[in-house]
Amino acid sequence: MTDGAWVSLFSGGKDSSWALYRALERGHPVERLVTVHPEGDSYMYHVPATRLARLAAESIGIPLVEVEPDDFEADDVPDSGEQGDAELEPLEEALRELDGELDGGITGVTAGAVESEYQTTRIESMADRLEANVFAPLWQENPRDLADAMLDAGFEIRIIRVAAYGLDESWLGRTLDADALDELEALNDEYGVHILGEGGEFETLVTDGPHMDRRIELEYETQWDGSRGTVQIEDAWLA
């Protein structure tokens, strides 16, 4: 399976962006980015600010395919396993269409999974059905080492949602730098906050990096309910 194209499962967040960056570093011919836009909550996908994937794709220079599923209704789910399988269906359908369109079909997909067996096993099963490889360079790596590697490579990472004890409104819009990582390590020791937000403690947006020609500029407001909050992006553009 050396011929054919690679496709990057891409949200614009740090994990999927790092998987894409590492794939490009290794010479994988990534010909499409694929972003799923969940209407509501999701078990399988990054949710906030996915519309900015269009700007990221323009800056990166790789065409974007956008998947628009119905509301997954993930807020009241009797069986999380069945829910994950159902949420994967529109993505797999989009990849099958791409497999028929791209020269040589799809050889591989990139994934930004860090520790989630729930997501990873489903992506691997989907890739098997597509007869494609999976490139998941973050999988089971040390979280602090990964975060440091992202910063060392020149990634600019903004926090756009928080939902964990110990993360207050001051974290919304904050750049994930070395000081922030030190604080997250302390919060991990005290409250169990994952350094990369793997448990949904926080979500991110990559606004610049070595794989991007232009950085994403943001105008935003913050919404805070006393325990969790979100960056509400009013405008975004490429500098």
Side-chain angles (χ1 to χ4, degrees), residues 128-142:
D128 286 343
R129 292 190 292 272
L130 294 166
E131 298 184 350
N133 295 302
V134 174
F135 179 63
L138 298 88
W139 181 241
Q140 295 187 335
E141 294 292 328
N142 178 276

Side-chain angles (χ1 to χ4, degrees), residues 28-96:
H28 292 314
V30 179
E31 295 189 18
R32 295 291 187 277
L33 310 182
V34 178
T35 301
V36 179
H37 299 296
E39 282 295 320
D41 289 333
S42 169
Y43 277 62
M44 282 295 298
Y45 305 108
H46 171 109
V47 174
T50 57
R51 297 295 171 185
L52 295 188
R54 298 172 187 172
L55 283 179
E58 182 181 345
S59 179
I60 294 164
I62 298 176
L64 177 69
V65 174
E66 300 183 83
V67 181
E68 306 275 359
D70 296 330
D71 192 328
F72 290 134
E73 300 180 352
D75 54 347
D76 185 18
V77 174
D79 187 314
S80 62
E82 289 183 4
Q83 179 71 16
D85 295 339
E87 290 188 12
L88 200 65
E89 289 175 4
L91 172 61
E92 184 167 345
E93 182 180 348
L95 292 180
R96 287 194 181 280

Side-chain angles (χ1 to χ4, degrees), residues 141-212:
E141 294 292 328
N142 178 276
R144 180 62 194 252
D145 290 346
L146 277 172
D148 286 337
M150 292 177 192
L151 299 187
D152 289 345
F155 272 50
E156 182 180 86
I157 302 165
R158 304 287 291 276
I159 294 176
I160 58 173
R161 178 176 289 182
V162 297
Y165 197 72
L167 297 176
D168 60 22
E169 188 176 8
S170 69
W171 286 86
L172 292 173
R174 183 173 176 178
T175 298
L176 193 64
D177 56 15
D179 289 340
L181 292 178
D182 289 341
E183 291 180 43
L184 286 169
E185 281 197 318
L187 290 171
N188 176 264
D189 292 338
E190 188 170 359
Y191 302 117
V193 174
H194 194 282
I195 294 170
L196 291 177
E198 177 72 356
E201 292 94 337
F202 62 90
E203 303 279 3
T204 62
L205 173 71
V206 173
T207 51
D208 200 8
H211 59 308
M212 300 169 68

